[in-house]
Amino acid sequence: MSRSGYDAVVDVDDEGDLGHTDLQEDLEFHNSTFETNPRGGKGGSNTSSGLPLPVTAGGTGSSSGAGGKRFLWTISYYAQFFDVDTSSVLSRCWAALYPRANFLDVLEGNPDLYGPFWIATTVVMILFLGGTIDNYRAVAGSGDFAYDFKLLSGAAGLIYGYTFVIPVVLYLALRYFGSESANLLECWALYGYANLIWIPVALISWSPIAILNWTFVGVGFGLSVFFLLRNLYPVLSATDQQTSKILLFVVLGLHFGLSIAIKVLFFAHGSPVSPVGDKPAAPAPPADGEKPAMLFFL
């Protein structure tokens, strides 16, 4: 006779007979020393690399493999970074646009790449469309207009590179300078959700009024850099004072460069990504009395 969490102790005589057994007097219950979860829940997860164990790896199912491990060449390894529902993504987007609380608290220990990936993709497409509209307005009435997909490749390189490469460099720098709280997935999430403000900015920055466009870009820079610095400062301050200041200015400078690149490359006439003057000039009309040259082929 036993209950969960207890051991049943019963007196037995030398011949193996229970003999006189009074449940009220002879039966005693003691706290059990057995572990209810000998593996400690997650089986000793190692977060020093900045990449947590898969959310779906509970270590109890047969599909979890040996110890719930996931390998880099399996889809299940990357599926853990997209294990988030729509309501969570929407709440994180709102927290990025209206940052009242620390964003790392909003993540609740489950940072994702689903939101950052689709936010970056949306920004890329809107930059391409906005830059195309701006170029169309610049050459309207001067001839046929052709889409220039260098705008698309330029937007993809800029946004994807900034969103997914810069956090890796920042994470490695933080680990090198002794910040134990640095987490690569959280860095990706911070930079990814910080890009959300560029969606409305890109939608309205192809206005013909230049000063208005600069104002929109400035507002986008201010809101996004405030979001980044507010949430990165506790991690940056884990290093020594001089290093944290240097990293702080590096983060600020890189984000300022992103803002200027978005304005100059996609919402300025004569963009270096897609110059309007690339088209060959139309041949000049013949002068009065001059016959146009003709080519004859035999």
Side-chain angles (χ1 to χ4, degrees):
M1 297 177 61
S2 64
R3 294 190 302 175
S4 177
Y6 293 92
D7 297 327
V9 180
V10 181
D11 292 333
V12 182
D13 58 14
D14 297 334
E15 297 178 358
D17 188 7
L18 292 176
H20 174 71
T21 302
D22 190 344
L23 295 179
Q24 298 296 330
E25 298 177 359
D26 299 331
L27 185 61
E28 298 178 2
F29 291 94
H30 301 275
N31 291 331
S32 174
T33 58
F34 294 103
E35 296 179 2
T36 57
N37 188 1
R39 301 184 61 180
K42 293 186 179 181
S45 60
N46 182 13
T47 58
S48 61
S49 63
L51 296 177
L53 286 177
V55 177
T56 55
T60 57
S62 59
S63 61
S64 299
K69 293 182 179 180
R70 295 291 186 269
F71 299 97
L72 288 173
W73 55 85
T74 60
I75 297 178
S76 58
Y77 177 82
Y78 299 96
Q80 61 176 314
F81 305 131
F82 296 85
D83 187 12
V84 65
D85 54 21
T86 304
S87 60
S88 298
V89 173
L90 292 178
S91 64
R92 295 173 183 188
C93 290
W94 177 249
L97 291 176
Y98 188 55
R100 293 180 298 176
N102 190 294
F103 191 74
L104 298 181
D105 296 335
V106 177
L107 294 178
E108 297 179 345
N110 184 30
D112 68 286
L113 293 182
Y114 181 88
F117 173 77
W118 285 112
I119 290 173
T121 302
T122 304
V123 173
V124 168
M125 296 306 300
I126 294 179
L127 286 178
F128 168 65
L129 294 177
T132 300
I133 293 174
D134 190 70
N135 286 343
Y136 175 78
R137 294 177 60 257
V139 300
S142 60
D144 296 334
F145 176 77
Y147 290 98
D148 195 336
F149 288 95
K150 287 190 293 184
L151 279 174
L152 181 60
S153 60
L158 177 66
I159 300 301
Y160 286 134
Y162 181 80
T163 304
F164 296 107
V165 176
I166 297 301
V168 175
V169 177
L170 178 62
Y171 166 76
L172 294 177
L174 288 171
R175 298 294 293 183
Y176 177 79
F177 289 109
S179 177
E180 298 295 335
S181 59
N183 185 288
L184 178 57
L185 199 56
E186 290 179 351
C187 290
W188 273 332
L190 284 175
Y191 273 83
Y193 282 100
N195 287 332
L196 189 65
I197 189 61
W198 296 117
I199 294 179
V201 169
L203 286 173
I204 58 180
S205 289
W206 48 272
S207 166
I209 305 175
I211 187 64
L212 192 60
N213 294 342
W214 281 106
T215 303
F216 293 149
V217 173
V219 171
F221 165 75
L223 292 177
S224 55
V225 79
F226 172 76
F227 170 79
L228 276 179
L229 296 182
R230 176 182 180 179
N231 295 283
L232 283 176
Y233 181 76
V235 183
L236 298 178
S237 60
T239 61
D240 60 86
Q241 185 176 4
Q242 184 175 2
T243 302
S244 62
K245 288 183 179 180
I246 294 175
L247 293 177
L248 191 69
F249 281 109
V250 169
V251 171
L252 182 64
L254 289 175
H255 202 70
F256 180 76
L258 173 70
S259 306
I260 297 299
I262 289 176
K263 176 64 181 73
V264 173
L265 298 181
F266 301 98
F267 300 108
H269 302 312
S271 167
V273 174
S274 180
V276 177
D278 282 349
K279 294 183 178 181
D288 295 338
E290 180 181 353
K291 295 182 179 181
M294 301 181 62
L295 297 178
F296 296 92
F297 298 92
L298 299 178

